[in-house]
Amino acid sequence: MIELKDVTHAYGDRPVLRGISLRLEERRIGLIGANGSGKSTLARLLNGLIVPDSGQVLVDDLDTRKQARAVRRKVGFVFSNADSQIIMPTVAEDVAIGLRDRGLPKEEAATLVAEILARYGLGDHHDHQAHLLSGGQKQMLALAAVLVTQPEILVCDEPTTLLDRRNVRIVVDTLRSLPQQVILLTHQLETLADFDRVLVVSEGRVAFDGPPAEAVDRYIELIDSEVVPAR
Ligand SMILES: Nc1ncnc2c1ncn2[C@@H]1O[C@H](COP(=O)(O)OP(=O)(O)OP(=O)(O)O)[C@@H](O)[C@H]1O
Ligand SMILES: [Mg+2]
């Protein structure tokens, strides 16, 4: 279970998260909010990619500030920009690197990699250059490379933004069927319809916390109430 205790974060002198306290226990949690509202910053706090300026983030009682390595093993993170997640030259190597600490026999690791690539529609790209995949294929690769490590919790920052309809369905169905806890950031609000809980982030605070339909209504209200600056 992830717990945030009065967390604040600023970039330089710009406050981005302002006193957030949460217990994230539900299996499917969505995070929505305007561009720049602080969602990605909040997501990055959950696996210790960012540590809070004040307050604490605990993952099963591990403090992200002190036990970042252990936290990262539990919490997998899928970035919205898949390019920043690709670290190896070929598709298969990029997935295999996540298994390197497992001490699996080579053949077993290779079988796991081939299986997961096939499941995510990348079977034909096994030995291709990862950076030459299409944008959507890179997002599928990023997801496969994280899932192969079997994290207990998965944080996904807009994993479907670049995907075509078919791949959106594959990713969303995958996230639904995973036994792990999933925390999903998205602007595709319909994706969250059957989630257990949705948080609406606004100007670095949680403006709403509850069922998806109400969260979406609240989000739309918030956006529509803003005065759009005249050109
Ligand atoms: N590394 C950084 N350095 C400085 N400012 C940053 C950095 N990352 C984010 N910010 C700022 O923090 C604020 C929140 O950014 P964040 O990426 O958390 O928003 P977001 O809700 O994920 O937005 P989006 O929907 O566009 O992804 C923005 O004003 C952004 O400019
Ligand atoms: Mg973001």
Side-chain angles (χ1 to χ4, degrees), residues 2 13 26 31 45-46 48 55-56 72 82-83 91 102 106 115-116 143 146 182 186-187 191 193 198 209:
I2 303 185
D13 57 7
E26 294 75 6
L31 219 56
L45 283 163
L46 304 181
Q56 262 187 318
R72 243 164 266 167
D83 276 319
V91 170
R102 291 289 171 82
K106 231 180 166 173
E115 271 172 15
I116 203 152
L143 186 63
V146 171
V182 172
T186 186
H187 292 291
T191 311
V198 176
D209 182 353

Side-chain angles (χ1 to χ4, degrees), residues 2 6 25 67 78 97 103 118 155 160 176 179 195 202-203 207:
I2 303 185
D6 201 16
E25 288 172 294
Q67 289 138 303
V78 180
I97 192 82
V155 180
T160 54
R176 278 207 189 103
F195 270 46
S202 175
E203 296 178 4

Side-chain angles (χ1 to χ4, degrees), residues 11 14 16 33-42 157-158 185 187:
Y11 294 108
R14 184 199 304 194
V16 174
N35 292 136
S37 56
K39 301 179 300 298
S40 294
T41 306
L42 180 57
D157 189 347
E158 299 188 38
L185 283 63
H187 292 291

Side-chain angles (χ1 to χ4, degrees), residues 119-122 134 136-137 139-140 143 159-160 162-174:
R119 193 170 334 139
Y120 293 104
L122 294 170
S134 75
Q137 289 170 331
Q139 277 192 331
M140 301 301 281
L143 186 63
T160 54
L162 291 173
L163 301 184
D164 68 22
R165 197 175 163 75
R166 180 168 170 276
N167 280 333
V168 169
R169 202 175 64 205
I170 291 176
V171 171
V172 170
D173 287 351
T174 302

Side-chain angles (χ1 to χ4, degrees), residues 9 48 54 75 80-81 102 111 117 120 125 127 136 140 147 155 189 194 200 202 207-208 219 225:
H9 189 73
S54 65
V75 186
S80 50
N81 174 6
R102 291 289 171 82
T111 306
L117 288 178
Y120 293 104
H125 298 277
D127 298 316
M140 301 301 281
L147 283 177
V155 180
L189 306 177
D194 61 356
V200 181
S202 175
F208 180 87
Y219 170 61
S225 67

